[in-house]
Amino acid sequence: MNKISGIFGKRVFNDRVMKEKLPKDAYDALHQHIESGTELENSTANVIASAMKDWALENGATHFTHWFQPMTGVTAEKHDSFMSPDQGGGILMNFSGKELIKGEPDASSFPSGGIRATFEARGYTAWDPSSYVFIKGNTLCIPTVFCSYGGEALDKKTPLLLSMEAISKQASRLLALLGAPVSKVITTVGPEQEYFLIPRELYDMRKDLRLCGRTLLGARPPKTQELDDHYFGAIKTTVSEYMEDLNQELWQLGVLASTEHNEVAPSQHELAPIFSTANLAADHNQLTMEMMKKVAERHGLVCLLHEKPFAGINGSGKHINWSLAAENGENLLKPGKNPIENTRFLLFLCAVLKAVDDYQDLLRISIASASNDHRLGGNEAPPAIISIFVGEDLLEVLEAIAQGKTCVPPKARMMDMKASVLPDIKKDATDRNRTSPFAFTGSRFEFRMAGSLTSVSCPVYMLNTIVAESLRQFADALEKAEHTEKAARDLIRSTYLSHKRIVFNGNNYSEEWVSEAERRGLLNLKTTADALAHFTADKNLKLFETHKIFTETEVQARQTIFYEEYCNTIKIEALTLLDIVNQDVIPAVCKYTRALAETIAAKKAASGGQLACRAESLDMAKLSARTDCLYDKTLELKQAIDDTETMTMNRNAAEYFCRKIIPLMEQIRELADELEAGTASEYWPMPSYQQLLFT
Ligand code: ADP
Ligand code: MG
């Protein structure tokens, strides 16, 4: 047995373990329940729970928890032990079917966006049998959904599961019409996760990193990523030991962590798993982020998952690779040898083009956050404008169809590798356009706008839902058609013609694209504050209702939660910045200014006023003037924050934070960074960028 297969899935109650531990009828009933949603009898649930408990105890677990993904962005768990007293003063280890299936955590501690009135604290967690139960530490974790007393979703997982059903339903309708029926269609997802690693002792000395996850100030070091020497570079020993340890943990949890490499920025890395069903991928990504942080502790490191921990260098994203597969695993987005004749592929492709064009706003919202705003539109991540890259070859196919042609001349694309010792490499049918927010990469789409902290669930449920809507419209149209194949070809052509404005193969980072996109009428929702208002647009409410993802109340609640989260994030950052400037930065600069003054006095005294003190005097003057400016700005920021005290955290407040507080914070940062550059390093009260990134 090799190293990986020996430990892989060791702590997961997966299908293999179920087969081994469950009586055949319970195993079959559970599968029926997962696949067709049939009720699970109480007695069967008890048998399953008991087998889970025995397996958990064998593997050292003492507690169990319902593990869920509330709207906070992190996972939640409340541990209960298996223990209950027996009559003879000893203990019994118990776990019932009821405890497996349903939990009642206090919902009042989680964001509900007003769904839950304060007096009604009850919330429910319900077992999601489509994701495996696993052991983390000493606890058996049961993946669950989380909803209110009234049944409204309070988590990120519920809409994901519903959207998987919605897209499966519509895609299956379409496939049946094309003469190749399937019983279901699966959403496949592989999220690439970027992160930073920095030494723990330096992290501990930065209030901003500890409280906000990102640096709020810090002068630019002389070197950052301009030499491109970090990307795919040799991995440092401390980091490779960390990665190895992390892989071991993830493999045991059944996470298919597969690729790892250094990223563009110094101290930045990436981990990509092998793709899986969307629901599992979402759970696994949450686990991956949690383990990344935990394992870092063991190595004297801290893992930063914030989208933009350091200004001036690349931030971290999470590329969501997404596709659809028939139940036998066949990828529905594979163009095949001759894409122009592949009606099924072209229909699915056009469904995505149409969906992304019709619902640009929802995709933008699905990845919107105060932290991701720092990334989007910088010259490192796609801009906030959504467009699709399809690659040269596919564009040629689509254009040919638009002109009524039925074939395109085949061409071999050989890369000229110059040196004859190197093999000819057939050029990828889709060159990698790294600047595109939404790229077709050969047999899947890659949504690159998601930030490193974004839960996989949000972008994926949006994608599923909007594509389900295109597929629904396609299926409706084909159902009415006399000649399916011909109608399908017409549909492909008309859809492409109506939505080709969303296709863009060029450089998304360029200035020209911004004006070109405007001419095309594409949305450019630069900030979260700009984007969120669109969530409750009529067309979006209708979409969610049609596919039974959310009621109007649920969408409104989510919008409220996002506004609150956005405002609170910025507020905490602004308060932290004030704290650092007042308690650390200004005192440090004063101390250094005093040292300069004392040096001048000492030099003058020692030389009877003869020694030159020009440098010290000029520095002192500059520092003092800047300190005054900085001080004034802090007063302004303080007042601006005080003014938010009476505000409800809604759209107006979000606008205020975006247009008033953020610019003030930026001005403060600029002054503080100038002061840092002009102050002797031994006086600076926290580790510099240079120390943080190059230690
Ligand atoms: P790249 O650097 O080209 O973006 P990576 O290998 O880092 O590629 O990541 C590609 C990701 O896409 C992996 O997680 C992989 O499993 C995933 N992927 C591949 N095929 C599919 C598919 N059909 N559906 C969803 N994800 C996929
Ligand atoms: Mg990628």
Side-chain angles (χ1 to χ4, degrees), residues 354-416:
K354 173 174 163 54
V356 173
D357 188 25
D358 286 343
Y359 298 98
Q360 299 161 46
D361 50 354
L362 286 182
L363 276 184
R364 171 70 182 90
I365 289 167
S366 78
I367 47 86
S369 67
S371 50
N372 207 20
D373 279 357
H374 295 290
R375 225 180 115 248
L376 300 177
N379 269 343
E380 44 152 315
I385 306 164
I386 305 214
S387 66
I388 303 185
F389 167 85
V390 293
E392 265 173 64
D393 291 2
L394 216 44
L395 186 63
E396 217 174 306
V397 167
L398 291 166
E399 281 297 325
I401 293 173
Q403 290 159 25
K405 294 187 194 153
T406 49
C407 64
V408 280
K411 55 183 162 202
R413 299 171 165 270
M414 289 294 182
M415 257 168 59
D416 181 9

Side-chain angles (χ1 to χ4, degrees), residues 329-371:
E330 190 189 349
N331 187 344
L332 299 172
L333 285 172
K334 255 211 162 102
K337 285 220 168 63
N338 200 0
I340 197 160
E341 285 175 6
N342 190 342
T343 304
R344 185 184 77 182
F345 164 71
L346 290 171
L347 271 178
F348 278 94
L349 177 74
C350 285
V352 176
L353 297 188
K354 173 174 163 54
V356 173
D357 188 25
D358 286 343
Y359 298 98
Q360 299 161 46
D361 50 354
L362 286 182
L363 276 184
R364 171 70 182 90
I365 289 167
S366 78
I367 47 86
S369 67
S371 50

Side-chain angles (χ1 to χ4, degrees), residues 207 211-212 216 568-583 637-638 641-642 644-645 657 661 665:
K207 273 185 206 164
L211 297 180
C212 309
L216 299 170
N568 282 328
T569 304
I570 299 172
K571 186 169 184 176
I572 291 169
E573 289 186 348
L575 289 171
T576 307
L577 182 63
L578 279 182
D579 178 296
I580 295 175
V581 169
N582 289 327
Q583 301 199 6
L637 180 60
K638 174 79 175 56
I641 300 172
D642 287 348
T644 67
E645 285 306 328
F657 275 98
I661 306 275
M665 289 174 67

Side-chain angles (χ1 to χ4, degrees), residues 190 192 194 263 270 272 318-321 432 434 441 444 446 448:
E192 300 161 47
E194 290 180 342
E263 263 302 328
E270 180 189 291
K318 169 149 38 204
H319 293 174
I320 309 274
N321 294 272
R432 294 161 171 258
R434 288 280 171 202
T441 52
R444 60 181 193 264
E446 186 171 335
R448 304 215 184 92

